[in-house]
Amino acid sequence: MDDVRYEAPESPDAAISLLAEAGSSARVFAGGTDVMVQIHAELIDPGVIVDIKKVPGIMDISESDGAYTFGAATPGMVLMAHEGLSSTWPGIIDGVALIGSIQVKGRASIGGNVCNGSPAADSTPTMIAANAVCNIVGPNGERTAPVEDIVTGPGKTSLVDGEFILSFSLPKRPAHSGDAYLRLTPRTEMDIAVVGAGVNITLDDDGTCTAARISLGAVAPTPLLVAEAADALIGTKVDDAALTKMGEACSAACNPISDKRGTKEYRIKTAAVIARRAVEIALERAREN
Amino acid sequence: MTKRSHISLSVNGDEYETLCEPDQSLVDVLRNELELTGTKEGCSTGDCGACSIRLDGDLVCSCLVLAVEAEGKEIETIEGMAPKSDELHPLQRHFLEINGLQCGICTPGILIAAKALLEKNSDPTETEIRFWLAGNLCRCTGYDKIIRSVQAAAEEMRKG
C-alpha cells in the first residue's frame, strides 16, 4: 500500500479542500463500516482518508416546527434512540434498525449507507420514500438534491470530487401520515436484502390516500422510486384492488439480477408482496395519527 | 515510509500513548502496540463481533475503527471488566458456571456486548438477547448456553 494520510477537518471548507485536492484518491470516512472493509479487502487504496465526523452539525439531530434535519454521519444507534425522529419517521428507523449488528449501527450512518451506493442499502428506499433532501457541500458551494438522485449505480454516486453530504432534511409531516420499510432476507438479522420496500403515505380525514411514495431496493442497479406504484394508491382507500395494482407496478419496475440470495424471477415476484406488506404497515401507522 | 501518528487514549481508565499507521485498525493497535490481547480479531470485516469494545461508551467493532480516531477517547475492553483481580464480573462468572464458552475466541466480544445490553436493559427477553448478540458469532456453543449465561447474570445483577 502506498502512503496514506488521515485527516479530520473541523470545518466543511477544510474537508472540501482536502477532498477536492486529492480527487479520486480521497475517501470520505464517517462510521467506517464500509470503508474499513474495503481497505482490508484491498478494494480501495486511498491516498487520504478524510474523517468528516468533526465537521460541525454532521452528527446532530434538530427539529424545527415538525421538520427534522440530521447530520449525515449520525450513527444508526443515535437515530434509533431519538424519540422524536423515531415516532415521526418510524419507517426510516425500520430501515436503520436493519443495517448490520448493534456494533455496526454504533458507527454506521445514513450518509454512508446512501453514499456507499449499494442497491440493497436498507435506509435508502425509506429515505427516498420520505422525500428526504440531501444538503450537500462542495467546491462549488452548497446544493440540495433528493436522495433518489444520489445513487447512480452499484457503488457510484452523483457527488463530484470534493462534495459530501452534510445533512438530510425531512419535510414536516401532515396529519394521517405513515411510513414503513420491510425487506426480505433468508435470515432475520445480519443479512442483505433480497428485496426492500420503503413506503410513505398520507391519508385525508376519510382515509383516502392523498400522497404516496414507494421505493424499492435490491431489484435494480440503484434503489428505485416507483411513481406508478404510488399512483395506484393515490385517490383510493388503499383497498385490495389498489394494493394489487400497486404490487403489479412494483414488479413491473424491477430490473434485478440473479445472485445467491435470489433469482431475478423471485425478486420480481416478491417485490409486489414485500411492498404490499410495507404499505399495510404504513397505512396502520397513518391511521394512528 | 508512511508517517506514523502519535495518539493518546484511555483504555479501562489507564492512559496510553502510542504510535500508529494512518490506516491501522484500533484492534491491531490494542493487541500489537498496547499488548492488550484480550480483544480478539476474527473476520476483520465487522461480521463476527470478536473485536467488540466500547468507544466512549458505544459498542463497536474495533476492526472497523481507525486507531487514530481513538485519540482522546475512552475505551473499554475485556481486560477492564472484572472489578478486582480476584473477582469476576457476574457475566464472566455465569459464562464459566454455565459453560457459555468452548474455545473462547468469541467470548471477550460477547461479554462486552452483553454488558452493554444489560446496562441498557436489565431484564431482556431471550429474543432481545438474541437480536442484540446477532453481531457476535460463536461457532462452538450453538448459542443456547451463551443466552442462558446472560439471563443468569442479568437475574443476579437485578437482585443487586
Side-chain angles (χ1 to χ4, degrees), chain A residues 1-6 29-33 36-37 39-40 49 51 53 77 101-104 106-107 188-190, chain B residues 1-2 22-23 25 43-47 49 52 55 59-61 63-66 68-69 113 131-132 134-136:
Chain A
M1 186 177 281
D2 295 333
D3 281 6
V4 52
R5 273 189 306 140
Y6 169 84
F29 185 94
T33 55
M36 290 295 279
V37 176
I39 291 174
H40 187 79
I49 296 168
D51 183 345
K53 292 194 294 296
M77 291 301 279
S101 60
I102 303 292
Q103 286 89 330
V104 166
R107 300 257 296 164
T188 54
E189 267 287 301
M190 299 291 284
Chain B
M1 182 73 190
T2 305
D23 58 351
S25 68
C43 66
S44 314
T45 53
D47 292 301
S52 297
L55 179 68
L59 178 66
V60 301
C61 289
C63 73
L64 299 182
V65 177
L66 287 169
V68 282
E69 291 184 80
F131 269 99
W132 186 272
N136 293 85

